[in-house]
Amino acid sequence: MPAIGCDGGMSACAAGAIPYPPRMTITREDCAARDHCDRLAMFRDRFVLPPGVIYLDGNSLGPLPRATPARLLEVAEIEWGTALIRAWNRHDWIGLPRRVGEKIARLIGAPPGSTIVADSTSVNVFKALAAALALRPERRVMVSEAGNFPTDLYVAQGLAALLGRGHTLRRVEDDDIAAAIDADVAAVLLTHVDYRSGRMLDMAAITRAAHAAGAVVIWDLAHSAGAVPLDLAKCDVDFAIGCGYKYLNGGPGAPAFLHVAPRLLDAVAMPLTGWLGHADPFAFDGDFRAAPGIARGQVGTPAVLSLAALEVGVDLALEAPEDAVRAKSLALTGLFAGLVAQECGDFGFECITPAEEVRRGSQVSFRHPEGYAIMQALIARGVIGDFRAPDVLRFGCTPLTLRHADVWDAVAILREVMQMHAYRAPEFRVRHAVT
């Protein structure tokens, strides 16, 4: 039986070296050999990871970077504590949204001056979608995936009701998106990597199709930024939004980012015209004048502590070579799916994550009728993933912290849970507020 090592052939350092599903038996030694020559191995020690835990939920909340507590203490005790209000200038708190936005722009392949950190993902969806509809005032249709993340759908529904001009939301299946974009469509709101399945859409092709039909496109990058290669400039993306607390490791509730293509910046009218989106906030004019460029995407006062924490996570992400991150992501997700097929093939798991690498984000998801209880049993044993209704077990594969051997161990524990019917315990059937 061939082994997966560092000596050529099935190279431990090659993306997708383990077939998906496997055509050979995978051992823990094979996985350890991959870890031995992992180009990203040194990043693991730069995060706080509790002992006895295999963390597979970085696609929902990234782990704590070790440098973050010290940075937060510095901001609180030194900047806030000694400079007080002067810190807005002395420590450039006022520049944090633009500074961190410029760094995120490098991660997502956006031009300089086109990205800012402000507000939450949901608020930025509202701002981007409203601005997009205003660019196409004669059209009344919005297109999105039928299974898009609920906040995107809710914002679209709420915005249509608020405008009161007859806008409708056209929900379609993934394969039908391009065909659904016709001359009636004003805006297309899509999530690049699906939150349930990890399916990745072809950003370039869909954006081209939308532009050919005269529509404006908004891409939700919540499960993409920091995890998969992005080139918004090359894809000619109109708007993009994304959150800071998943693969960017900015902490719970970290602020989100908003991107607007430079060619649209001067034409975009933001629907929320707060004081920091004004051309001269400290002139305290009574009438709104939009700030030039992406600065108009701001609304209110920046959350300084949250921005400082996010900047630490973004700096870490920028250090990691993009090609190595993507290669390891594909290797980990392929390994996870392959091991579940190998070790748990008789337990009724249906993998819903695409096998094709070009269509796969950085997570693996399975359907199972006992999905919630199985996930609770795993968490009780130190394997932390999450559950998405109605029946999806979701496992994030974060390349900076997860080892191949961790994947092998997690699947071994999953096999144990299924063999012992541990998920049938009453305590694992109690639904928590957060799943």
Side-chain angles (χ1 to χ4, degrees):
M1 177 176 65
I4 302 172
C6 299
D7 53 353
M10 294 290 284
S11 168
C13 303
I18 295 178
Y20 176 98
R23 300 183 185 91
M24 57 188 290
T25 301
I26 309 163
T27 69
R28 195 180 192 282
E29 289 71 25
D30 296 330
C31 298
R34 279 176 168 260
D35 291 326
H36 179 69
C37 49
D38 177 11
R39 292 170 60 194
L40 302 176
M42 73 292 295
F43 283 94
R44 180 178 170 86
D45 290 337
R46 298 177 66 180
F47 291 86
V48 176
L49 297 166
V53 167
I54 301 173
Y55 193 59
L56 295 163
D57 211 9
N59 57 321
S60 189
L61 175 64
L64 173 67
R66 290 192 181 276
T68 300
R71 175 59 183 143
L72 289 173
L73 194 63
E74 179 183 36
V75 174
E77 288 193 344
I78 298 175
E79 297 181 10
W80 180 14
T82 64
L84 298 168
I85 193 82
R86 295 169 295 178
W88 286 102
N89 292 316
R90 182 176 296 177
H91 298 289
D92 195 31
W93 286 356
I94 198 69
L96 271 169
R98 293 289 296 273
R99 185 171 77 234
V100 182
E102 288 296 292
K103 293 179 177 183
I104 291 174
R106 290 160 53 193
L107 282 174
I108 63 177
S114 66
T115 307
I116 197 162
V117 176
D119 306 308
S120 69
T121 307
S122 298
V123 171
N124 284 335
V125 170
F126 177 88
K127 291 190 294 189
L129 185 56
L133 293 179
L135 291 172
R136 300 291 184 270
E138 74 286 356
R139 299 184 178 204
R140 292 290 183 269
V141 176
M142 298 172 284
V143 168
S144 191
E145 311 108 293
N148 200 354
F149 190 72
T151 200
D152 293 29
L153 300 176
Y154 299 164
V155 166
Q157 294 163 12
L159 182 56
L162 178 66
L163 293 173
R165 300 207 313 266
H167 287 90
T168 60
L169 176 61
R170 182 181 295 168
R171 298 190 238 186
V172 299
E173 298 302 324
D174 293 356
D175 293 340
D176 300 325
I177 291 170
I181 307 171
D182 56 27
D184 296 323
V185 174
V188 182
L189 173 62
L190 303 171
T191 296
H192 184 227
V193 173
D194 182 76
Y195 79 103
R196 281 198 183 99
S197 69
R199 173 275 300 135
M200 186 162 62
L201 292 174
D202 187 335
M203 178 182 290
I206 293 174
T207 302
R208 283 196 303 271
H211 287 172
V216 181
V217 187
I218 305 105
W219 285 98
D220 184 335
L221 307 179
H223 289 272
S224 305
V228 300
L230 293 164
D231 194 339
L232 269 59
K234 185 176 180 181
C235 294
D236 198 23
V237 167
D238 300 309
F239 295 87
I241 51 90
C243 73
Y245 50 82
K246 294 181 173 62
Y247 296 104
L248 300 184
N249 304 302
F257 63 86
L258 170 68
H259 161 80
V260 181
R263 58 183 164 75
L264 295 176
L265 277 171
D266 290 338
V268 164
M270 287 294 166
L272 299 176
T273 49
W275 78 301
L276 282 184
H278 191 278
D280 188 1
F282 287 89
F284 298 109
D285 290 342
D287 297 312
F288 183 78
R289 291 183 293 114
I294 193 62
R296 68 183 59 189
Q298 294 186 90
V299 180
T301 306
V304 172
L305 289 168
S306 294
L307 276 160
L310 175 60
E311 188 170 25
V312 175
V314 171
D315 285 342
L316 254 177
L318 284 169
E319 286 186 43
E322 183 182 89
D323 63 332
V325 171
R326 181 57 173 162
K328 187 176 178 185
S329 168
L330 290 171
L332 289 169
T333 51
L335 172 64
F336 203 117
L339 280 172
V340 170
Q342 173 182 295
E343 302 294 322
C344 303
D346 296 330
F347 297 122
F349 291 101
E350 176 194 355
C351 184
I352 61 172
T353 302
E356 303 92 335
E357 293 183 352
V358 296
R359 298 183 62 230
R360 194 191 324 159
S362 200
Q363 69 184 59
V364 182
S365 300
F366 302 89
R367 283 200 176 100
H368 194 285
E370 297 285 352
Y372 179 81
I374 292 169
M375 184 57 71
Q376 297 309 304
L378 285 171
I379 292 171
R381 287 162 171 76
V383 177
I384 301 179
D386 63 20
F387 172 81
R388 291 295 177 260
D391 57 1
V392 176
L393 298 97
R394 197 173 67 155
F395 301 95
C397 295
T398 49
L400 300 190
T401 58
L402 189 65
R403 299 172 298 200
H404 299 82
D406 294 329
V407 172
W408 200 96
D409 291 340
V411 176
I413 293 170
L414 175 61
R415 182 183 65 239
E416 174 188 286
V417 164
M418 301 309 294
Q419 287 176 334
M420 297 175 62
H421 305 290
Y423 59 90
R424 294 180 179 174
E427 62 266 28
F428 298 142
R429 297 179 177 276
V430 178
R431 291 291 178 117
H432 300 289
V434 178
T435 64

